[in-house]
Amino acid sequence: MIVSPKIEARGLSVAFKNVAALKGVDLSIAEGEFLVLLGPSGCGKSTLLNAIAGLLDLSAGEVWIGGRNVTWAEPKDRGLAMVFQSYALYPAMDVYGNLAFSLRVAGMKKPEIETRVARAAEMLSLTPLLRRRPSELSGGQRQRVAIGRSLVREVDVFLFDEPLSNLDAQLRAELRVEIKQLHLKLGNTTVYVTHDQVEALSLADRIAVMRGGVIQQLADPDTVYQRPANRFVASFLGSPPMNFVSGELVVDNGLPAFRSGATVMALPYAPASSGTQSGRRVTLGIRPEDVLVGEEAAGCDVRWDASVDLRESLGSETLLWSSLAGARIAIKTSARVAARIGDSLPAGFASNRVSLFDATTEERL
Amino acid sequence: MTALTARSAAFPSHAAGPLPWQATPARFGIYLFLALATAFFLLPIYIMTATALKTMPEIRGGSALLWPASPDLAAWAKAWSSACIGLDCTGIHVGFSNSVKIVVPSVLLAVALGAINGYCLSFWRFRGANAVFAIMLFGIFIPYQIFVFPMIGMSAFLGLYGTLPGVVLVHVVFALPIMTLMFRNYFATLPIEIFKAARVDGAGFWRIFWSVMLPMSMPIVVVAVIWQATASWNDYLLGVVFAGREHLPMTAQLNLLVSAEMGAHEYDVDMAATLQTALVPLLIYFVSGRWFARGIAAGAVKG
């Protein structure tokens, strides 16, 4: 059975004053999917969202929603609702007015409006606040109203443009869970823009990591995190980001290996293609949590003695900074590891946890 | 815990330390300057008020600075309803009602059109919007006396020369650049996301303007109304040129009254009529000055 995508971007390009913000983006989003557009500011993720919403003019390409070419359709005719970073509530209307506005514009009958507003308010615990103005609400309440404004329209596509970025950390975590629950309950197709990797990893069915108006990788959160498609994706996700050591591929005792200066590491589980490409300049990447220390390092097939340059305590875990073949690396370890600055302790990683990137193209091997 | 209680008990219950010396010579100088400046600006108004309350013999005999021996409002009544302007001895109240007939529609129209222009230029940007705005801005800096002659030709062509609609139209045309500038700059400070949200919610050009943008623009509407009401009330040239004999505004009638060369000058009546003419803008400022200041502070007349 072929399921046609709910939202489809075909060769989308957008330019602002001759600067390309989107460069021929192709993207298809399945019915009911939660897709996160992730990237640093200026990567084109909000532009892509606005293009899907119909809030800006395309310089090339097509937008399809629900099997319909809506490239030139007005935002209201695309069957979608949108939540903005700055909430964008109508300040002169109370919460009820904000929720009811789109329904009034659509000419809906009053009893139906009241039912729908009451339902949305109930779902987001806004019922006691219906008569308040936006200025009398807290940030979290305002964003709830903004989400409610999307709910009442009962459309099947939700667009979120960094909805949690203006909130403090605790509220952000709370609302993140609420958004996830809403999605599980309603099953709307959702496109969610954020620069926050935690939001992306926790909410998404699939993540599209963007840079410079191009999608770098489109995959489920695990794949994006564990098998980044290129060095940019590897360094954008993770805190601290993936450790990189530059060197070259060599053959050591008939086995594929990685050499950086005097350090040679056998990588028997490294990507099969690498063994045949002796001499190729590459960057080796390893996640800080994949570097093990102390007794745990004994089971690793790549081992060395790491001296602790710096120790950062993060509460539940501890970061040790060390160096490997001249590159500074972070080691994320349990808070129980008693290592002090200047200590030397056994460290290692499993070679199948390694990512290898071509040194010039920065693409994954 | 005990240490903490002990310390807070030992703490004095009020902030201590020497108060700054307040009556410095510099401060005295500031107040002296402010008092002098106030007197300088209030003096003409005082002389006008005092003169308007005197009788003619008292004006001729005494100092202009003296308060009238027995203030009386006869000159005020005469200026309002029976002073002779040319051959017409009906006072300045005719000019007052003419001015109201000119100012009210020109304020309503100029503010409404300025708001729509500014809204359009900020949110519904079209190709060449910047050029249109630049041309409008340019219009602000050209003295409108330059356009008086061609405007006479145009309003005559439209059959509006010397009529009430004609003078209102001229006022609106000359007010549009500044009104547009005010509203455009104000709308530029509003978050564009509200506009986007309204579009996603299905509202169109007029719906967004009425239901979303206008309720958010009260500060700038107040500023624009005050600005345009004052400007068109105080206008003399456009009234004289375009209103025609029957619709001369109060300022034009006042000029005819005080500059009449026939007979003796009745300074008390002149002053009373002048004060009556100035009263409207004064009242506007007294009543709405607070909102005016607030509107300006809210970034209403930036740029």
Side-chain angles (χ1 to χ4, degrees):
Chain A
M1 190 180 76
I2 296 163
V3 182
S4 69
K6 184 70 190 171
I7 305 173
E8 216 183 342
R10 297 182 187 167
L12 270 196
S13 291
V14 173
F16 300 117
K17 289 183 180 160
N18 305 325
V19 180
L22 280 185
K23 299 169 189 164
V25 169
D26 290 306
L27 179 64
S28 84
I29 304 164
E31 174 97 50
E33 183 174 11
F34 198 119
L35 183 105
V36 171
L37 301 175
L38 177 70
S41 50
C43 70
K45 57 192 192 296
S46 281
T47 308
L48 178 53
L49 195 75
N50 277 283
I52 293 171
L55 290 169
L56 45 81
D57 292 335
L58 308 178
S59 35
E62 291 172 10
V63 178
W64 289 68
I65 295 177
R68 218 156 49 87
N69 185 342
V70 293
T71 310
W72 291 103
E74 277 290 300
K76 66 176 164 81
D77 300 325
R78 298 185 177 207
L80 46 81
M82 191 160 173
V83 176
F84 297 89
Q85 178 180 357
S86 65
Y87 324 130
L89 301 180
Y90 312 125
M93 302 177 197
D94 59 14
V95 171
Y96 183 91
N98 268 281
L99 295 178
F101 183 68
S102 63
L103 307 179
R104 283 186 183 142
V105 170
M108 191 176 280
K109 294 263 185 330
K110 212 168 171 212
E112 172 72 5
I113 294 180
E114 276 169 7
T115 322
R116 285 214 195 174
V117 170
R119 203 184 308 153
E122 184 61 37
M123 220 180 280
L124 295 159
S125 11
L126 289 169
T127 314
L129 307 175
L130 281 176
R131 284 296 152 215
R132 292 221 200 149
R133 294 279 173 110
S135 56
E136 300 164 326
L137 300 176
S138 69
Q141 290 168 335
R142 285 179 202 186
Q143 199 52 286
R144 274 206 184 79
V145 176
I147 294 170
R149 205 166 51 179
S150 305
L151 288 186
V152 293
R153 303 192 55 214
E154 300 187 355
V155 289
D156 27 332
V157 174
F158 279 174
L159 307 179
F160 289 89
D161 192 358
E162 306 212 21
L164 307 182
S165 299
N166 283 7
L167 302 173
D168 63 59
Q170 201 173 346
L171 263 176
R172 208 181 301 165
E174 276 173 30
L175 266 173
R176 197 175 67 215
V177 173
E178 267 185 60
I179 289 175
K180 184 88 185 171
Q181 281 171 339
L182 268 180
H183 180 251
L184 289 176
K185 192 159 153 189
L186 303 172
N188 301 53
T189 309
T190 304
V191 187
Y192 186 106
V193 164
T194 184
H195 61 258
D196 184 317
Q197 47 172 310
V198 180
E199 275 172 38
L201 293 167
S202 60
L203 287 171
D205 292 327
R206 279 194 304 163
I207 298 176
V209 185
M210 295 186 66
R211 178 173 67 160
V214 177
I215 293 179
Q216 306 287 312
Q217 186 171 15
L218 173 62
D220 62 275
D222 275 346
T223 308
V224 169
Y225 189 79
Q226 303 294 353
R227 300 179 54 80
N230 57 34
R231 206 182 143 160
F232 169 77
V233 176
S235 61
F236 190 75
L237 280 120
S239 171
M242 188 177 268
N243 297 306
F244 296 112
V245 184
S246 44
E248 60 182 338
L249 291 178
V250 290
V251 177
D252 187 48
N253 294 332
L255 283 172
F258 170 83
R259 185 169 69 88
S260 175
T263 317
V264 177
M265 299 170 216
L267 298 176
Y269 298 107
S273 61
S274 62
T276 60
Q277 299 181 39
S278 188
R280 186 171 182 176
R281 305 288 308 163
V282 294
T283 303
L284 176 145
I286 181 80
R287 292 269 174 211
E289 61 271 25
D290 287 335
V291 183
L292 307 176
V293 291
E295 288 165 16
E296 289 178 325
C300 297
D301 53 355
V302 178
R303 283 189 304 273
W304 73 101
D305 280 331
S307 69
V308 178
D309 299 333
L310 196 69
R311 178 196 152 102
E312 286 183 280
S313 181
L314 303 178
S316 59
E317 52 209 3
T318 296
L319 270 187
L320 302 176
W321 292 89
S322 179
S323 59
L324 173 61
R328 166 178 276 247
I329 63 161
I331 304 167
K332 199 181 261 185
T333 176
S334 141
R336 292 185 301 277
V337 170
R340 278 169 310 189
I341 295 174
D343 282 359
S344 183
L345 67 171
F349 53 78
S351 59
N352 61 354
R353 305 297 299 166
V354 158
S355 293
L356 286 174
F357 304 101
D358 186 278
T360 37
T361 64
E362 302 198 336
E363 293 300 316
R364 183 183 190 89
L365 295 182
Chain B
M1 197 62 220
T2 43
L4 198 72
T5 343
R7 191 159 57 156
S8 58
F11 226 64
S13 59
H14 58 85
L19 287 171
W21 183 246
Q22 285 176 321
T24 59
R27 189 157 284 255
F28 176 74
I30 288 171
Y31 282 114
L32 186 69
F33 173 76
L34 288 176
L36 285 174
T38 311
F40 180 77
F41 286 109
L42 280 179
L43 195 61
I45 294 175
Y46 167 77
I47 292 177
M48 283 171 71
T49 316
T51 310
L53 293 170
K54 286 173 182 171
T55 57
M56 275 310 287
E58 200 181 357
I59 293 170
R60 281 193 210 96
S63 157
L65 289 171
L66 282 181
W67 186 247
S70 55
D72 94 303
L73 288 169
W76 289 68
K78 187 175 180 190
W80 181 252
S81 55
S82 64
C84 292
I85 295 160
L87 295 173
D88 195 11
C89 292
T90 50
I92 202 153
H93 80 275
V94 182
F96 177 84
S97 60
N98 284 344
S99 277
V100 170
K101 281 182 221 159
I102 294 170
V103 168
V104 170
S106 78
V107 167
L108 291 179
L109 276 172
V111 172
L113 292 175
I116 294 165
N117 272 354
Y119 165 67
C120 193
L121 287 171
S122 315
F123 294 114
W124 298 87
R125 302 183 58 80
F126 46 92
R127 198 175 284 273
N130 278 332
V132 169
F133 185 56
I135 292 168
M136 284 210 148
L137 275 188
F138 192 58
I140 295 177
F141 301 108
I142 299 178
Y144 63 55
Q145 286 85 343
I146 289 174
F147 296 112
V148 165
F149 191 67
M151 282 295 270
I152 292 175
M154 285 163 76
S155 67
F157 176 77
L158 293 170
L160 292 173
Y161 182 66
T163 66
L164 208 52
V167 71
V168 168
L169 179 73
V170 171
H171 270 295
V172 170
V173 166
F174 283 124
L176 264 187
I178 182 79
M179 292 289 121
T180 304
L181 172 74
M182 282 182 179
F183 277 98
R184 199 211 77 114
N185 284 359
Y186 182 79
F187 286 134
T189 65
L190 298 182
I192 185 85
E193 293 191 333
I194 291 187
F195 171 74
K196 289 183 177 178
R199 281 192 71 193
V200 173
D201 271 351
F205 185 92
W206 292 110
R207 187 65 180 245
I208 297 176
F209 180 68
W210 275 112
S211 306
V212 179
M213 292 304 164
L214 213 52
M216 292 172 75
S217 345
M218 277 312 124
I220 189 63
V221 168
V222 171
V223 171
V225 165
I226 293 170
W227 182 286
Q228 180 58 11
T230 315
S232 51
W233 186 274
N234 290 343
D235 158 70
Y236 172 75
L237 181 69
L238 298 180
V240 168
V241 176
F242 291 95
R245 298 266 345 140
E246 294 90 72
H247 308 294
L248 278 188
M250 204 172 184
T251 47
Q253 294 224 325
L254 176 68
N255 179 56
L256 289 179
L257 176 72
V258 301
S259 63
E261 289 176 15
M262 304 284 285
H265 263 293
E266 295 179 289
Y267 292 111
D268 52 347
V269 175
D270 290 355
M271 291 299 177
T274 309
L275 278 173
Q276 284 164 6
T277 309
L279 222 49
V280 169
L282 266 179
L283 272 179
I284 292 176
Y285 274 110
F286 276 131
V287 172
S288 55
R290 200 152 40 104
W291 289 298
F292 190 72
R294 208 180 287 166
I296 289 177
V301 283
K302 259 193 295 187

